[in-house]
Every structure is written in structure tokens, then in C-alpha cells.
Amino acid sequence: MSAAPAIEVDGLAFRYPGAAEDSLRGVDLTIERGDFTAVVGGNGSGKTTLCKAFNGLVPHYWSGAFEGAVRVMGHDTRDLSVAALSHLVGYVYQDFGNQLVRPTVRDEVAFAPVNFGLPDHARRVDEALEALGIAHLADRYTWQLSGGQQHLVALASVMALRPGAVVVDEPVAELDPARATGIYEALSDLNARWGTTVVVIEHHAEFVARYARSAVLMADGAPVWHLPVREAMERSEDLDRHGVPAPQIVRAVRELAPGAPAPLTVGEAAGLLGGRDDRTVPATEPPATEPGPAAALTAAAPPVAEMTGVGHGYREVDGSRTRVLDGVDLTLREGERVALVGGNGAGKSTLLRLLTGLTAPGTGTVAVDGADTRSVRPAELADRVCLLYQRPERMFLKASVREDVAMFPLGRGREGADAEVAEVLERVRLAAVADRDGRLLSGGQQRRATLAIGLATRPSLLLLDEPTSSLDTASRDAVVAMLDALAGTIRCTVVATHDMHLVAEWAQRVVVLDGGGIAADTDPAGLFGDRALMDAVGLVPPQIVRLGLEMGLRPPPLSVEELVERERGALAGKGGPWARDVKR
């Protein structure tokens, strides 16, 4: 008799306590043992609720209206406790910070194996730490880590158990691109070596295409389909309609080579478009250490904020200090759209906090609108600077999203505050949930709610820490559109991000942090064209940039539309403003 599937869902319906409608409706789904399945769909489509039914949180913890059945490795989840189900299903949550319960990284990863009495617990811990590239953090305290590093620790703690199935909610949401690839490589290795069934909730179609073997598209609380991944990528219209646009390379091939199969990797796309056989890529790369033409446009604009010789660090528990920034000089000018990039722990979040005045620099000075942040109270600076935190739940202080958005304008006695709040909520597509507690919204809805809070402050300098993390592509595009629309009301916007699509599509200037200092100050094309710099700081260009580079396009295209336009122009024999090195 063959083994039962890893996960079987029959007629599942679920409604959260107090909710007006079901979050899941009539779900039928089978995930076979050893599969690598991606669950995709727009924010609020029911992805996370479905996956929480796999480890028993639904209905044992969220004890709402539950109908149907969920079986894991043949066991009905209603017959086992959440603790018992943890032997079968490991889960890394979207709010992974709340999952860490032990002081040091090694303690955290060892917690479950030790408490389950596994005799090889030490080896399991070492293997998990090594697999995720965090062995060097083993003796660090978890609260000292960056958000991305904490995410890696949470995943390592689950991987150490080697359960039959592992569910990871947004595995790359707060990781730099190099570590994001490393996470998926580790999950793929776990899947291949131990036969572990892997389920990921993912918004990045690129990772789905490259690593998953099947994909489930969720919409309105139920699967639209469950298909092999290449077939899923062929359903680009379905993906677009449900807020998950197909990967950039699929869209490019669809435009330039209609009828060709959907590529799953950049190499496949380059082959389909003739990128490898009939083109030559130049051996040299343009430097990225100087600002490009776009950045030069604002070089003479008045400064909004200035950092001079700024150094900052944090005191460890043992009394030593960790240096995060060292001798940073940076001027942010009016009209600039600045992306702040770098690997996890490079100091991006620290730099943003210094600009708010909430943190004073250890050395050097920080000035906003000419005022030294040491001499102005943070409450006064709040009229000029707004920081939207990496963890959205930290922004919710009231009983509803509407009240949170209204808190600043009402507190400042601003006329027309109610109408302004209503307009902001409409712009971020949250009017329908405006009276709900922000802490109970989906991760993507929380991100949009924090942006609404920031928009309502109308600051001179808007700082955003990972604003597109956990957003579906439609919501991410909406954030980009809203940031574009702020040009007339906000003097300067700075975004700390790992989202290279956001860098390519929105940023005018890119500041690269590495080793405590500024490794480069350039524009998106200059950054993506410098492979040595990208490799050194652990960044990976968007798919369309990598495809353009393989096709010999210099500078690299920053969007699908640009690549298609340039390629069609080249095929038609038309010249253009871009340099190319092409053999036909």
C-alpha cells in the first residue's frame, strides 16, 4: 500500500472568529510527498490561512467555523494537537520574529531537537546553521540580529527537526537577493536529500519558476488550479488577473517569441531569444562608483538632510561594541528618489533611524533641514521626517487602521483631516478594511496601512524600511505608483530595500552600503552593470537586467518594456541611444 500524500485537503471551509465571511471556501487540494509546491496569489487570497491548516493552527488555535478535513501524512489534523503535528510539519511564519524564543542563535536552533529528545541534536544544529550560512552567528544573541538574519535563524530552527513537510511563509521577504537565493537552495537541498515536502507561500514568481515543481494559485479563499510549474507559468493571464504577474523573462519571451515555451531561468530565456549563440558580451563593465546622469540632475538642488563623518555601533552584552557605520558622508537633496541597498546587517536600518533623530550618531553629525538632530527633539523632527518601520505591526497603536492613519493629522490639528484620511485609505486600497485592527490584517495589507500612516504625515523626508516586503506584485506596483505620486508633496524619499525591481523601476539614485561605509553612489543602470560590485555586496539584478546583459545590451534594460523596445529596434536595424555589442 502506497504512503498517503503529504497533505490532503477535502472540502475545507474556515471563518475566523468575528469575521463576516469565510477566509477559505470549499478547498480541495493534494500535495504529494516529496513535492516542492509554491502557493501564490494576491494579498488576502487565503494563502496563509490555508497553510496554517496544515500544522493545526487552524482550527486548534484559530478556533473559528471549520468544515471539511485536512490530513497530514495520513493523520487528520483535528485528531492531533499542534505540538504533535509539529513532528510532521515545520512552519516558519511571516512574523518570524515572534517565533524566536531562546537567547542565542545556537540555543534557538537547538530548542526543538533538544526538547524532543533527539540523540543527534548537536549534529542537526550544526548542519542547519551551516546550510543557511549562519554558523558564524551561532553565539550571537537573537535580538542583536538584523531582520533578515533572524529570518534565517527561524528557518534553521525548523530545518533542524527534518519534519516530513516544511511550510515557509514568505521565505525571502526580508533577505538580500544573494541570501534569498541561498534560502531556496537550502530548501531545494532539504527537498532532494531528505525527501522533505516543501511548501512556500511566495509572491516572487521568479523563485517559483526556478525552484518549485508545482504551483497552487489561490483566489477568494480557494485554489484556482494546482499545476506543474512550467504549465503554471504558461497561464500568465491567470497569474496577471490574480495579482501575480509572470516572471519578467516569461513576459519578455511572450512578446519577442510568441508561441515559445515559458522559460524558467534566465539561461532558458536567453537561449529562446538567441542571446547565447549570436551575441558577444563585452569583457569590461562600466564603473558604478560615480553618480550617473539621472543622479546628476539633482546635484545642485538644496539639501534636505546631511550626514558628515557619521559613525555608529551597538554595545554587545559582553560590553564590546559592534561598529555598523564608520565615517559616512551623505547628502540627500530635494527631488531625489534614493534606494539604500546592501546585504543584511550592512547598516541600512541604522542609517534611517539616525535620520529621524531617534538615534544619535556615535560620531559625526546628522542634520535635517539644517537642524542638527542632537539639538532638536524627535517630536519636532516628526513634522519633517517620517520613518515607516521594517516590521509593520510596530506602526499600529489604535483599534483601527483609520484611527492609526488619522492620529498624526488630528494630533497636529490639521484642517480637513478626516477627508485627507479617507483619501489616503482609498489610495492604498484599504477603505474596505479601514475599521479593522491593523494587527489583524494580512502581511501585505499591513504594509499598505503603514504607507498610509506615512502619507498622512506629509513629511519633507520620507524614509521607508523594506516597504514592499510581503507584498504581492500588484500591491508592490501600487506602492511604486504612490511613491511616484509623492514627488510634488515630499521633498525627498529614501527607501532601504532588497527589492531590486523597486530599485530598477523607481529609484533615481542608489546608495550602496557595505563594510560600514558607502561602497557606491550611482544610478540603477550603473549599479546593475557593475558585476563585481553586485557580487561583493550580495546583490542580484532583476531577471530582465540579467537577460539584457546576456543579450549584450549596454547599459542593461531596467524593465521588460525597455528590453522589448530595444530588441525590436535592433532587429529592425534602427539605431538608438543605447550601446550594444551584438553579432548577427
Side-chain angles (χ1 to χ4, degrees), residues 35 106 147 190 265 341 349 372 515 537 541:
D35 201 356
R106 185 179 297 279
L190 179 69
T265 66
V341 304
S349 297
D372 190 321
V537 297

Side-chain angles (χ1 to χ4, degrees), residues 12-25 49 58-59 62-67:
L12 176 63
F14 180 74
R15 179 178 298 187
Y16 284 102
E21 56 186 32
D22 290 348
S23 293
L24 297 175
R25 330 161 183 266
T49 301
V58 170
W62 295 104
S63 54
F66 183 98
E67 297 179 3

